[in-house]
Amino acid sequence: FKIFKIIKKKQNKALEDFFSNLSESYYLEQLASFLIYFLIFFLFIHLFICLHIYFAYQSFPNWITHTNIMNDSFFGKYVTSLYFMITTMTTVGYGDIVCISSIERIYHIILLVIGTLLYTFLVSKIGNYLRDQSHEQIKLSKDLKILENIRITYPTMSFKLYTKIKSHLFTIFNKRKKTGLSLLINGV
């Protein structure tokens, strides 16, 4: 009979490891979703930077001549434009890089509108997602505590039933999480 107890303990340990891995994979999925959003955000910024440099070469004088970086490498101009894009999209705008020609002014107006909308939308979506996921995580934690209290109160409860209920709670949590993630992705 001791062998059965040892086997049962090993099974319990394996199930506990499985559930802890589920929890870890949830955080990895969240990290992956944030990385995807930041990648999309920086792809838009890259496009805006390329257009910013392109429009500068369409007129003279331009922001490149005004900031005195004509002799800088393309990388230097790219970094300067990146700095401009980040300060513009976050509405900080230090004013050290300014538009000189009419085409640059028109582009900057469009950039301000699109950038502000994109930045606001992205921050809002991520904030809502985090709020919803935090709520779902709290709900799962409460449900798991209730289940653990039931297990302590009723020690005769079979471990199989306990693991089925726990598995069901994680399944519900993962479905809600995936629904929230798909709503977030579809929203973007």
Side-chain angles (χ1 to χ4, degrees):
F1 293 109
K2 262 190 169 185
I3 191 81
F4 291 121
K5 287 182 180 180
I6 292 171
I7 291 171
K8 191 167 185 168
K9 283 184 180 179
K10 288 193 183 252
Q11 286 176 340
N12 291 350
K13 176 69 173 144
L15 285 170
E16 287 174 13
D17 290 344
F18 172 76
F19 287 117
S20 76
N21 288 339
L22 274 179
S23 179
E24 288 172 11
S25 69
Y26 164 73
Y27 293 111
L28 289 176
E29 285 179 25
Q30 267 195 329
L31 177 63
S33 69
F34 287 123
L35 290 176
I36 289 169
Y37 283 112
F38 283 116
L39 178 66
I40 291 169
F41 183 70
F42 280 107
L43 284 174
F44 273 105
I45 289 178
H46 172 72
L47 173 69
F48 294 147
I49 290 169
C50 292
L51 288 172
H52 191 231
I53 294 170
Y54 172 78
F55 287 132
Y57 285 114
Q58 300 305 309
S59 62
F60 186 84
N62 53 41
W63 69 268
I64 294 174
T65 57
H66 186 271
T67 54
N68 201 21
I69 60 169
M70 295 89 50
N71 297 326
D72 282 8
S73 66
F74 179 78
F75 181 74
K77 292 172 185 152
Y78 187 91
V79 170
T80 304
S81 187
L82 172 64
Y83 161 77
F84 171 78
M85 291 300 146
I86 298 295
T87 57
T88 300
M89 287 187 173
T90 57
T91 66
V92 173
Y94 292 116
D96 52 349
I97 300 174
V98 295
C99 50
I100 304 299
S101 67
S102 294
I103 194 165
E104 287 178 342
R105 286 187 187 100
I106 292 169
Y107 176 68
H108 287 186
I109 291 169
I110 293 169
L111 177 69
L112 282 169
V113 171
I114 291 173
T116 304
L117 291 174
L118 177 68
Y119 180 76
T120 304
F121 179 75
L122 187 63
V123 169
S124 172
K125 279 293 191 185
I126 290 174
N128 289 339
Y129 176 72
L130 287 174
R131 182 197 66 222
D132 294 344
Q133 291 306 307
S134 175
H135 177 72
E136 292 300 326
Q137 184 71 36
I138 290 168
K139 187 173 184 175
L140 175 66
S141 295
K142 285 180 181 177
D143 290 345
L144 290 174
K145 284 179 185 176
I146 291 169
L147 179 61
E148 194 59 37
N149 288 337
I150 290 171
R151 183 176 178 201
I152 292 168
T153 306
Y154 301 100
T156 57
M157 177 181 190
S158 74
F159 185 75
K160 187 176 180 180
L161 176 61
Y162 169 77
T163 55
K164 279 185 178 183
I165 294 170
K166 192 171 183 179
S167 176
H168 181 70
L169 291 174
F170 274 102
T171 302
I172 291 170
F173 172 73
N174 286 326
K175 282 183 183 178
R176 287 180 180 154
K177 178 184 59 146
K178 287 179 183 174
T179 302
L181 184 59
S182 67
L183 288 173
L184 180 64
I185 290 171
N186 291 336
V188 173

